[in-house]
């Protein structure tokens, strides 16, 4: 990497950090229990808006994995999400009514929280519909993973977004509060993902899955990115550059082996395609607060109107992480 | 980086002259669906007049390449009728 | 006679205390070395917690740093204290705070009592070792290592390189033949005494202070001087990965550990509550008298190493994205490409489907759509027949198809009309079996019986087809003994 290149990336990183500080002025604490955070806790960071129905299962899932403390940014919920979260003993909540879009889809707020509270901790940044699956997650808590990553001197852990969907129309089976969403959305595409390397930030750009297959078959370039690096041992000066797809400094994005070997990786099971989606899509279309003129949401609303079935006869029924490992969607690396 | 694929190339003229041998090598390499069976040779496309056709293409100013030696006259190459089966050596 | 344990502890003192208590209560004396870097309050709490056990004592504390002499010095001090204070000890067992006993003490004592003269220590001639991290085997003994590998890696590497370039070799003292092995050993009182009282000890120590990672070589080398009977293996089940980092045991390894019949395992994750609870419960019955047999553990970790270093051939995913031509297998399995066969042979696809042990597709790279076998719209893995999706990343399309179809050979037609993006990829892939009939592209033109004026309009197509076949064949044949400038189709078959 040339000096100029180094300088350019450094400048970009600094700009993002300053931006995060500026945007964070809009955050007002609702419940700040960060004093309870213990030195080796794994912390979870998320932004949400009107996700009350998802919260109980989300919190339960990540508490079971061993998350020590949750830090949420509530973006003007009016469905009781904020109060529900504020009442939880292991949760800190900030709130804002500022524009999600102008906070780079919430990443500025999260970057600030990470900088303020994440330093020295393993931090997990996810959306409310993303559920982390890593090798042995059914028998080993997340601390086992982060301890092992520490011993490998690894600073980040990749988990590709895996879109899960039901059989039949997405709104056919209503999602109940507290329910495991993957009882309904239990299917996924196992082998139609494409990867390109982003030379600028060294990250891989992964696309594919049911959204590319059904909604972006004519314009695959526009299909959503599925690569994510949600788990990072945070240090001062780190910053998410675009959603949780990539980070700066860019060494954090080198989560893959380029010589043929396999590094460790997981999956983020994506519980987006549920009955909750119909109302969400309507709301987001009005708000227009999503990426590139909410292009994705426009495509969803078109697809929803025709009552699509994302399921096909080659869809795979989700069983466990070993299945995802066998299919080559994630890897144990040399963790045994 | 070297070529590592297993590549076999025939010109169309060579192939038409003796299709059994190339097809046999294909079956042997990929493996027969049912072993120990005779495999009938597939029917070749009727290429009567192909040589003349190529010559007309040339006369029109085009240059079809890599055809092998196709006589211009109407002497279609045909499979030897006695060799209508592929016999696997393995 | 009994066994005595020297325990080297630096973190997770709570777990270390549990293990020390396990051995001490069963009647084995324990000498604990606590790293000098552990703070006094933590040390006091630890010592206090074990103060009810009169056969547990603490040895002189050294500041230990990985890879340095300090670890040997601490082991020497602990061993000396064990020999001095506990005359009933016949074997001294060196363990760490992250060790977990897998079998009751009585079984270990009985095992050792049946082999009173045997020293259990892995000790391999330096030249025969292939498992060391960093590629330093015998150079550990012949170079100087003044810099810390952990803290001054850059200087460490440079200095090693410099010495190599200067062909520098430090002499090995006479009478020592360098050996390496696991640092966890179990030695007889006689051998250990002889090592510690070696008249040459001062000179040996001076030498070993300069050796890199002496805790893997000091006892391992000296035991060759003093032992009457060496069993070159460790009684501690301890496996290292390719990076020289110990593998860790978790709760889900319970059955694996139990079936290994090993006496002690290392390293155990401190929060593996189930393992600690089950193995420190004295009541569990064990396979009395069984010999340690860690073959299943070995297999598990060997597979993990294989996965990390070689990966699965033909897989492209988020944590395996090999650089071009460094794939360790571009594709997972052999596949066949038929170029021109469908043009020359009537009903070639049905014929091939019937007779070949393969799934025979049409033109997978056709411009209009992907011609999957049987006209299918989707393939396993939900691979779509959309030409746009395929052409967005043709190579990923091909590798996905092959990866998803593992177990079934794939075959497809290919021609000059098709997307040519994968030609180089296929030509350099040993799994590709490519069969070409050149000139076959003209057959459909010939059979179309069209007006020659039409054909002339397609003259461009002819030119393109010529060129594409030429390019394809040239790619396929390049550097395969065909002289440059020569037609790639110079002989009948290749």
């Amino acid at each position: 990497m040339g000096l100029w290149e180094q300088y350019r990336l450094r400048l970009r990183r600094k700009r993002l950090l300053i931006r995060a500080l500026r945007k964070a002025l809009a955050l007002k604490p609702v419940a700040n229990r960060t004093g309870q955070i213990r030195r080796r806790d794994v912390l979870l960071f998320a932004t949400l808006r009107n996700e009350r129905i998802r919260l109980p299962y989300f919190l339960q899932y990540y508490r079971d994995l061993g998350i020590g403390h949750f830090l949420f940014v509530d973006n003007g919920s009016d469905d009781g999400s904020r109060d529900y979260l504020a009442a939880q003993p292991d949760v800190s909540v900030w709130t804002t009514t500022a524009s999600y879009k102008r906070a780079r889809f919430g990443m500025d707020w999260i970057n600030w929280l990470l900088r303020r509270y994440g330093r020295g901790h393993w931090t997990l940044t996810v959306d409310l519909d993303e559920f982390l699956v890593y090798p042995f997650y059914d028998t080993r808590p997340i601390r086992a993973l982060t301890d092992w990553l520490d011993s490998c001197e690894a600073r980040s852990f990749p988990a590709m977004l895996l879109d899960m969907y039901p059989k039949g129309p997405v709104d056919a089976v209503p999602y109940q509060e507290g329910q495991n969403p993957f009882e309904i959305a239990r299917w996924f595409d196992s082998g139609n993902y494409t990867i390109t390397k982003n030379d600028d930030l060294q990250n891989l750009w992964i696309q594919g899955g049911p959204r590319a297959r059904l909604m972006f078959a004519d314009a695959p370039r526009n299909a959503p990115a599925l690569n994510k690096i949600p788990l990072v041992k945070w240090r001062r000066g780190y910053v998410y550059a675009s959603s949780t797809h990539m980070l700066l400094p860019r060494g954090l994005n080198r989560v893959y082996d380029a010589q043929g070997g396999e590094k460790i990786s997981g999956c983020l099971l994506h519980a987006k395609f549920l009955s909750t989606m119909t109302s969400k899509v309507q709301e987001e279309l009005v708000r227009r607060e999503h990426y590139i003129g909410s292009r994705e949401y426009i495509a969803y609303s078109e697809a929803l109107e025709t009552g699509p079935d994302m399921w096909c006869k080659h869809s795979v029924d989700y069983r466990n992480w070993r299945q995802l490992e066998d299919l080559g969607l994630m890897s144990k690396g040399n963790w045994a | 980086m070297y070529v590592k694929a297993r590549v076999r190339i025939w010109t169309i003229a060579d192939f038409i002259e003796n299709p059994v041998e190339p097809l046999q090598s294909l079956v042997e390499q990929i493996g027969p669906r049912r072993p120990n069976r005779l495999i009938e040779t597939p029917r070749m496309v009727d290429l009567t007049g192909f040589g003349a056709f190529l010559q007309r293409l040339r006369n029109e100013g085009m240059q079809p390449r890599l055809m092998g030696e196709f006589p211009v006259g109407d002497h279609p190459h045909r499979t030897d009728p006695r060799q209508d089966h592929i016999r696997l050596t393995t | 006679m009994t066994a005595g344990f020297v325990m080297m502890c630096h973190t997770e003192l709570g777990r270390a205390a549990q293990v020390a208590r396990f051995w001490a209560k069963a009647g084995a004396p324990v000498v604990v070395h606590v790293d000098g870097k552990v703070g006094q309050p933590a040390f006091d709490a630890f010592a206090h917690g074990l103060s009810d056990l009169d056969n547990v004592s603490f040895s002189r504390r050294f500041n230990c740093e990985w890879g340095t002499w300090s670890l040997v010095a601490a082991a020497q001090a602990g061993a000396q204290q064990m020999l001095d204070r506990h005359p009933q000890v016949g074997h001294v067992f060196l363990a760490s705070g992250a060790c977990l006993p897998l079998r009751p003490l009585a079984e270990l004592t009985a095992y050792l009592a049946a082999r009173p003269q045997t020293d259990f220590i892995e000790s391999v001639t330096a030249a025969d070792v292939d498992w060391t991290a960093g590629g330093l085997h015998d150079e550990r003994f012949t170079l100087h290592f003044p810099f810390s590998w952990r803290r001054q890696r850059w200087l460490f590497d440079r200095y090693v390189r410099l010495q190599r370039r200067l062909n520098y070799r430090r002499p090995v003292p006479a009478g020592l033949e360098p050996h390496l092995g696991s640092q966890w050993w179990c030695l007889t009182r006689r051998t250990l005494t002889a090592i510690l009282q070696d008249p040459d000890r001062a000179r040996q120590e001076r030498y070993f202070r300069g050796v890199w990672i002496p805790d893997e070589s000091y006892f391992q080398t000296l035991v060759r001087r003093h032992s009457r009977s060496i069993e070159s293996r460790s009684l501690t089940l301890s496996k290292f990965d390719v990076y020289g980092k110990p593998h860790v045991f978790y709760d889900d390894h319970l059955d694996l550990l139990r079936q290994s019949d090993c006496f002690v395992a290392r390293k155990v994750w401190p929060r593996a509550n189930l393992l600690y609870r089950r193995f420190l419960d004295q009541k569990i019955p064990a396979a009395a008298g069984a010999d340690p047999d860690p073959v299943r553990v070995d297999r598990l970790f060997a597979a993990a190493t294989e996965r990390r270093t070689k990966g699965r051939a033909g897989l492209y995913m988020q944590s395996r994205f090999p650089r071009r031509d460094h794939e360790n297998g571009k594709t997972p399995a052999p596949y066949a490409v038929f170029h021109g066969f469908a043009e020359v042979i009537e009903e070639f696809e049905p014929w091939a489907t019937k007779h070949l042990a393969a799934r025979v597709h049409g033109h997978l790279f056709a411009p209009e759509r992907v011609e999957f076998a049987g006209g299918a719209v989707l393939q396993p893995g939900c691979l779509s027949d959309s030409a746009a999706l395929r052409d967005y990343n043709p190579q990923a399309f091909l590798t996905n198809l092959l990866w998803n179809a593992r177990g079934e050979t794939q075959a497809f037609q290919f021609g000059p009309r098709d997307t040519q993006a994968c030609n180089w990829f296929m030509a350099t892939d040993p799994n590709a079996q490519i069969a070409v009939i050149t000139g076959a592209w003209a057959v459909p033109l010939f059979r179309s019986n069209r007006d020659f004026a039409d054909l002339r309009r397609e003259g461009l197509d002819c030119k393109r087809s010529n060129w594409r076949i030429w390019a394809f064949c040239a790619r396929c044949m390049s550097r395969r003994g065909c002289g440059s400038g020569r037609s790639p189709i110079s002989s009948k078959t290749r």
Side-chain angles (χ1 to χ4, degrees):
Chain A
M1 184 161 51
L3 273 179
W4 166 249
E5 180 78 357
Q6 261 181 40
Y7 177 71
R8 191 178 60 81
L9 288 173
R10 184 184 164 82
L11 213 62
R12 183 163 164 196
R13 188 165 61 82
K14 292 284 178 201
R15 221 175 42 231
L16 287 169
L17 285 170
I18 291 166
R19 200 187 152 101
L21 289 176
R22 198 155 48 81
K23 292 290 174 186
L25 295 175
L27 295 180
K28 282 188 286 293
V30 179
N32 189 338
R33 300 190 178 89
T34 50
Q36 298 173 11
I37 295 174
R38 285 158 299 172
R39 201 167 58 85
R40 308 211 53 191
D41 276 348
V42 180
L43 310 178
L44 184 145
F45 295 78
T47 308
L48 77 155
R49 175 188 172 81
N50 291 342
E51 302 278 15
R52 173 66 185 81
I53 191 172
R54 287 182 180 274
L55 285 173
Y57 184 77
F58 180 88
L59 290 171
Q60 181 205 325
Y61 182 88
Y62 282 109
R63 279 177 186 146
D64 288 349
L65 286 191
I67 294 293
H69 198 82
F70 296 81
L71 298 93
F72 288 102
V73 174
D74 168 64
N75 186 204
S77 294
D78 51 17
D79 68 343
S81 296
R82 188 166 52 239
D83 296 336
Y84 180 83
L85 286 174
Q88 305 296 317
D90 51 355
V91 169
S92 297
V93 195
W94 287 258
T95 189
T96 178
T97 49
S99 165
Y100 178 70
K101 191 174 174 177
R102 267 178 287 156
R104 288 192 318 121
F105 316 102
M107 278 330 285
D108 288 335
W109 304 325
I110 294 294
N111 272 333
W112 179 77
L113 286 182
L114 282 164
R115 186 183 162 85
R116 178 85 173 72
Y117 300 104
R119 263 188 277 161
H121 290 273
W122 279 94
T123 61
L124 180 65
T125 306
V126 289
D127 282 342
L128 268 283
D129 54 7
E130 294 172 351
F131 294 87
L132 178 68
V133 166
Y134 54 84
F136 307 102
Y137 88 107
D138 47 356
T139 50
R140 303 180 194 173
I142 200 163
R143 266 292 295 281
L145 174 66
T146 56
D147 281 356
W148 185 78
L149 291 170
D150 274 332
S151 77
C152 300
E153 292 168 35
R155 301 178 294 167
S156 52
F157 173 85
M160 177 183 123
L161 199 60
L162 190 65
D163 287 334
M164 306 293 290
Y165 48 85
K167 189 171 177 176
V170 283
D171 47 3
V173 182
Y175 174 72
Q176 307 291 329
E177 181 175 326
Q179 186 183 14
N180 176 354
F182 306 115
E183 288 169 9
I184 304 168
R186 357 188 303 221
W187 304 87
F188 63 95
D189 284 14
S190 68
N192 57 6
Y193 300 93
T194 64
I195 306 182
T196 12
K197 195 174 143 193
N198 173 5
D199 284 325
D200 190 27
L201 291 189
Q202 303 275 304
N203 63 300
L204 298 182
W205 193 26
I206 306 179
Q207 292 167 294
R211 283 187 277 177
R213 169 165 63 89
L214 293 167
M215 299 163 199
F216 294 90
D218 300 328
R221 194 168 297 278
N222 296 340
L226 304 175
N227 49 296
K228 294 229 164 188
I229 304 177
L231 186 61
V232 178
K233 176 87 173 260
W234 208 262
R235 296 230 173 92
R236 189 192 175 87
Y238 287 5
V239 65
Y240 273 116
S242 160
S243 175
T244 47
H245 298 311
M246 48 203 188
L247 294 125
L248 281 169
R250 66 179 184 177
L252 294 166
N253 299 328
R254 284 299 300 253
V255 289
Y256 52 93
D257 189 298
Q259 303 293 329
E262 290 176 36
K263 287 192 179 179
I264 191 170
S265 55
C267 279
L268 283 174
L269 302 189
H270 198 197
K272 187 190 194 84
F273 302 99
L274 284 177
S275 59
T276 48
M277 188 174 177
T278 321
S279 58
K280 200 87 187 165
V281 167
Q282 293 313 320
E283 184 187 335
E284 297 304 335
L285 277 179
V286 176
R287 279 203 327 139
R288 294 261 167 176
E289 282 278 297
H290 277 272
Y291 191 56
I292 319 191
S294 303
R295 188 165 65 193
E296 223 181 302
Y297 279 91
I298 294 166
Y300 296 153
S301 98
E302 284 165 3
L304 277 171
E305 272 164 27
T306 54
D309 189 352
M310 301 173 83
W311 186 89
C312 72
K313 72 170 181 173
H314 294 294
S315 296
V316 178
D317 193 355
Y318 175 71
R319 290 197 306 276
N320 52 34
W321 69 267
R322 286 187 191 272
Q323 171 197 29
L324 299 182
E325 226 259 339
D326 284 342
L327 289 167
L329 291 166
M330 55 187 266
S331 178
K332 291 183 286 194
N334 57 328
W335 204 25
Chain B
M1 190 66 196
Y2 293 86
V3 166
K4 299 227 171 106
R6 170 126 195 236
V7 185
R8 277 152 314 160
I9 300 176
W10 303 271
T11 63
I12 185 168
D14 289 339
F15 186 83
I16 291 293
E17 197 175 282
N18 177 19
V20 172
E21 205 179 292
L23 288 172
Q24 177 176 336
S25 70
L26 284 190
V27 178
E28 277 173 1
Q29 189 168 4
I30 296 162
R33 188 167 287 279
R34 281 172 297 267
N36 309 322
R37 283 274 194 93
L38 283 180
I39 297 172
E40 81 263 24
T41 315
R43 205 154 50 81
M44 295 295 125
V45 166
D46 182 7
L47 290 179
T48 313
F50 187 63
F53 169 78
L54 291 180
Q55 189 53 49
R56 279 177 71 200
L57 281 182
R58 291 192 190 99
N59 297 348
E60 292 290 323
M62 290 175 263
Q63 197 188 13
R65 288 174 194 266
L66 307 179
M67 294 294 164
E69 281 160 35
F70 245 99
V72 179
D74 259 351
H75 301 292
H77 296 254
R78 285 201 179 277
T79 318
D80 184 343
R82 284 164 303 172
Q83 267 199 299
D84 53 355
H85 283 95
I86 292 173
R87 264 169 283 270
L88 300 183
T89 52
T90 48
Chain C
M1 287 303 237
T2 178
F5 292 87
V6 175
M7 281 180 77
M8 313 274 286
C9 306
H10 63 114
T11 54
E12 303 297 343
L13 298 180
R15 286 303 189 192
Q18 268 182 294
V19 172
R21 177 170 294 277
F22 173 88
W23 280 321
K25 279 186 81 171
V30 178
V31 172
V32 183
H33 173 266
V34 178
D35 190 340
K37 284 186 288 226
V38 171
Q40 198 60 39
F43 176 79
D44 289 342
F46 176 59
H48 181 74
L50 291 169
S51 57
D52 58 320
L53 298 162
D54 54 8
N55 53 354
V56 174
S57 60
F58 295 88
S59 61
R60 188 188 143 199
R61 295 173 63 190
F62 292 81
N63 283 326
C64 291
E65 186 183 349
W66 182 86
T68 66
W69 173 257
S70 52
L71 288 161
V72 181
Q76 284 177 324
Q80 190 65 58
Q81 182 165 324
M82 177 65 73
L83 295 174
D84 293 347
R85 292 198 191 172
H86 303 283
Q88 81 279 24
V89 165
H91 274 90
V92 177
F93 197 117
L94 187 69
S96 86
C99 283
L100 178 65
L102 304 181
R103 294 169 68 175
L105 178 69
E107 290 196 19
L108 176 62
T109 318
Y111 188 85
L112 294 175
R115 298 157 180 83
Q117 300 294 323
T118 309
D119 295 299
F120 295 92
I121 179 167
E122 191 186 18
S123 167
V124 186
T125 332
D128 286 346
V129 162
D130 59 356
W131 39 258
T132 50
L136 292 168
H137 311 152
D138 41 349
E139 282 176 327
R140 289 176 176 207
F141 298 97
T142 56
L143 300 184
H144 282 288
F145 301 94
F147 301 106
S148 160
W149 189 75
R150 286 258 159 103
R151 287 177 289 110
Q152 301 158 305
R153 182 84 55 95
W154 191 85
L155 283 171
F156 182 97
D157 288 342
R158 292 306 135 113
Y159 199 61
V160 165
R161 222 176 297 165
L162 178 72
Q163 293 177 80
R164 278 179 186 162
R165 196 166 309 153
L166 297 177
N167 237 336
Y168 175 82
R169 287 184 76 81
R170 195 156 79 97
V172 180
L176 290 185
E177 199 193 331
H179 281 69
L180 290 167
S182 160
Q183 65 269 59
W184 310 111
W185 41 252
C186 178
L187 299 179
T188 59
R189 166 176 287 270
R190 202 200 65 81
T191 305
L192 196 53
T193 307
I195 291 174
L196 294 174
Q197 292 175 0
D198 192 309
D200 231 8
R201 178 168 159 179
R203 197 168 63 95
Q204 290 159 359
E205 280 189 11
R206 253 199 321 281
Y207 169 71
F208 273 101
R209 273 173 201 279
V211 167
W212 192 46
I213 324 184
D215 52 324
E216 285 180 354
S217 59
Y218 174 76
F219 289 102
Q220 290 73 4
T221 300
L222 285 172
V223 80
R224 290 281 164 191
R225 256 168 88 93
H226 299 292
S227 176
R228 282 185 196 154
S229 160
I230 292 178
E231 180 105 2
S232 179
R233 67 187 161 94
S234 174
L235 291 181
T236 304
L237 173 61
S238 172
K239 297 289 165 195
F240 290 83
D241 67 12
V242 270
Y243 306 100
K245 188 170 58 62
H247 281 293
V248 180
F249 294 104
Y250 301 91
D251 283 347
D252 46 38
H253 291 124
L254 178 67
D255 288 334
L256 192 73
L257 288 174
R258 220 171 1 200
Q259 286 160 15
S260 75
D261 288 323
C262 291
F263 290 105
V264 174
R266 182 182 194 279
K267 172 177 190 178
V268 177
W269 189 48
R271 266 152 228 85
N273 297 330
L274 181 67
L275 293 187
Y276 276 95
R277 206 166 53 237
R278 294 301 288 274
F279 286 115
L280 295 185
D281 176 2
Q282 292 278 18
K283 289 184 288 290
I284 51 162
D291 256 341
D293 179 22
V295 60
R296 285 185 62 218
V297 181
D298 288 345
R299 220 176 291 146
L300 176 76
F301 291 141
T305 297
E306 173 95 2
R307 173 79 32 117
R308 178 67 189 87
T309 52
K310 292 210 174 67
R312 288 168 278 183
L315 175 64
Y316 300 80
M317 47 93 77
Q318 54 176 334
S319 52
R320 180 185 203 265
F321 194 64
R323 281 188 295 132
R324 189 169 121 164
D325 302 334
H326 286 75
E327 291 93 346
N328 263 339
K330 284 173 184 264
T331 50
Y335 56 99
V337 184
F338 301 126
H339 202 302
F341 283 70
E343 283 78 4
V344 174
I345 296 171
E346 298 273 13
E347 303 283 306
F348 175 69
E349 270 179 61
W351 178 86
T353 304
K354 190 171 163 198
H355 294 297
L356 298 181
R359 188 171 182 81
V360 181
H361 301 281
H363 286 262
L364 286 182
F365 291 96
E368 299 81 18
R369 64 180 279 270
V370 181
E371 295 173 5
F372 288 129
V377 176
L378 288 165
Q379 285 294 289
C382 301
L383 203 57
S384 156
D385 70 341
S386 150
L389 282 174
R390 176 201 62 202
D391 293 342
Y392 179 50
N393 193 333
Q395 186 175 313
F397 169 83
L398 180 62
T399 54
N400 275 335
L401 177 88
L402 297 168
W403 176 259
N404 295 335
R406 278 166 296 157
E408 188 189 31
T409 305
Q410 304 287 302
F412 60 93
Q413 321 299 324
F414 193 68
R417 284 183 71 241
D418 298 341
T419 301
Q420 306 284 312
C422 289
N423 291 2
W424 176 248
F425 180 79
M426 292 192 291
T428 52
D429 179 10
N431 279 328
Q433 304 173 351
I434 302 174
V436 187
I437 303 176
T438 63
W441 62 270
V443 174
L445 218 58
F446 160 64
R447 296 180 84 197
S448 66
N449 256 334
R450 269 183 299 172
D451 198 292
F452 243 73
D454 278 350
L455 288 185
R456 199 172 16 227
R457 243 172 277 132
E458 298 204 8
L460 245 177
D461 200 33
C462 165
K463 208 165 165 186
R464 195 182 65 174
S465 299
N466 270 335
W467 187 83
R468 282 192 163 176
I469 299 209
W470 179 274
F472 183 71
C473 294
R475 282 240 140 130
C476 290
M477 304 308 292
S478 64
R479 303 205 206 169
R480 282 189 117 218
C482 294
S484 58
R486 229 169 102 203
S487 160
I489 332 289
S490 52
S491 67
K492 279 190 180 176
T493 53
R494 276 180 196 280

